[in-house]
Amino acid sequence: MNSKLKPLCSVIIFVFLSGVQIGALAQGPGPGQRIPLPPIPIKGDTTHTLSKHFTSASTAAKAPDAKGFIQRWLVLEPVKKDIVRNNIFTDNYLRTAFSTDNFSTDYITVPKNGETVKVGNQELKWYALDSKAFNFNLYHFTYALNKPKYGILVWLVTVINCPEEIKNVRMAAGCNSGSMWWLNGQEALLLSGDRDMIADNGTSARLTLKKGKNIVRGAVINGPGMANFCVRFLDEKGAPVKNLSISYE
């Protein structure tokens, strides 16, 4: 072969092989295959402790944060689910999953802190926690407990205490990836699809917070990737509702 052609042939072969590799990567994994995920290290936390991102909730009522976000939640250890990818979270899928793997069909029940319940064949414990951030990061929660971080369904309950009735509010939530929310036993909001955790990513129809106790229940489901959520109430003008307190009983 002509010596001048050798470098050119080498370049052509390299470009061809690179194109094959890029094409294979672009196609992604085949059906039923999980995309491999690197571990997400939590800086400075090698002991798996809740105290880095949460504090144990006290019996004293807690105000929402400066922007109205609810930071106090009863959180159930994760229900392990075989979820390959998050784009399966249609409305029907979520309704079926939350109905099947439900800790209680009484949607106004308030679990006890430290109580253990059975979901399917899994024994799971409730934790009353205050998030140190406006959002509640379920990856940090499951990491701290050495529980599954991916392919999970997590149940949540909190109690909103109102000094007076507040009409025409909207529940606003964001989550990774799908979630459903109830107020006083009635469905308020469904966030389907593969979502990123964006504040106020979905808002409910107009609701009424009654005087006294109001029970909020939530369920967040996620396959691969981060699990996270945030919730607050907005008034008729879109301003955060802050004239309330939060408790876990």
Side-chain angles (χ1 to χ4, degrees):
M1 181 181 290
N2 191 307
S3 60
K4 293 181 179 180
L5 294 177
K6 289 182 180 180
L8 179 60
C9 291
S10 299
V11 170
I12 292 172
I13 292 170
F14 173 77
V15 170
F16 173 76
L17 292 175
S18 298
V20 170
Q21 291 175 345
I22 292 171
L25 290 172
Q27 291 174 10
Q33 293 182 342
R34 184 189 294 274
I35 300 171
L37 291 169
I40 304 174
I42 300 178
K43 292 181 179 179
D45 183 2
T46 58
T47 56
H48 295 267
T49 57
L50 285 165
S51 60
K52 183 170 179 64
H53 299 281
F54 311 99
T55 57
S56 296
S58 71
T59 55
K62 177 179 174 59
D65 79 352
K67 294 185 177 180
F69 287 102
I70 300 167
Q71 298 167 290
R72 174 168 293 175
W73 293 91
L74 280 158
V75 190
L76 187 61
E77 290 176 328
V79 180
K80 180 62 180 168
K81 300 281 288 181
D82 185 16
I83 302 170
V84 175
R85 57 188 74 238
N86 292 334
N87 60 5
I88 64 174
F89 295 146
T90 62
D91 288 10
N92 287 338
Y93 179 96
L94 294 181
R95 291 182 191 282
T96 299
F98 298 149
S99 175
T100 302
D101 292 312
N102 196 346
F103 71 93
S104 173
T105 56
D106 179 1
Y107 282 78
I108 59 172
T109 188
V110 178
K112 300 293 185 184
N113 182 28
E115 178 184 1
T116 299
V117 295
K118 193 168 185 178
V119 180
N121 61 356
Q122 301 177 61
E123 293 281 349
L124 305 171
K125 182 180 176 182
W126 285 98
Y127 290 79
L129 297 172
D130 293 344
S131 174
K132 294 183 179 180
F134 79 95
N135 59 314
F136 198 106
N137 192 310
L138 294 170
Y139 179 91
H140 292 161
F141 172 71
T142 53
Y143 174 92
L145 298 180
N146 259 327
K147 297 294 182 179
K149 298 178 288 294
Y150 309 118
I152 57 172
L153 187 168
V154 181
W155 286 101
L156 313 148
V157 176
T158 196
V159 180
I160 305 297
N161 305 285
C162 296
E164 58 187 6
E165 181 181 78
I166 311 175
K167 294 183 177 180
N168 297 321
V169 301
R170 298 182 189 272
M171 182 188 293
C175 70
N176 298 92
S177 276
S179 66
M180 194 167 181
W181 304 89
W182 296 262
L183 176 64
N184 295 327
Q186 301 298 314
E187 179 184 333
L189 184 59
L190 177 65
L191 299 178
S192 56
D194 185 8
R195 296 172 180 258
D196 290 329
M197 208 295 293
I198 300 170
D200 307 336
N201 190 228
T203 54
S204 70
R206 293 177 185 236
L207 305 167
T208 296
L209 288 169
K210 63 184 182 180
K211 182 178 179 178
K213 288 188 176 183
N214 296 265
I215 311 303
V216 175
R217 181 192 285 205
V220 175
I221 192 169
N222 194 52
M226 188 67 72
N228 202 350
F229 73 92
C230 63
V231 177
R232 63 178 173 173
F233 287 93
L234 304 175
D235 67 16
E236 291 181 284
K237 297 180 180 179
V241 177
K242 295 188 282 186
N243 184 28
L244 50 82
S245 63
I246 308 151
S247 62
Y248 65 86
E249 56 186 12

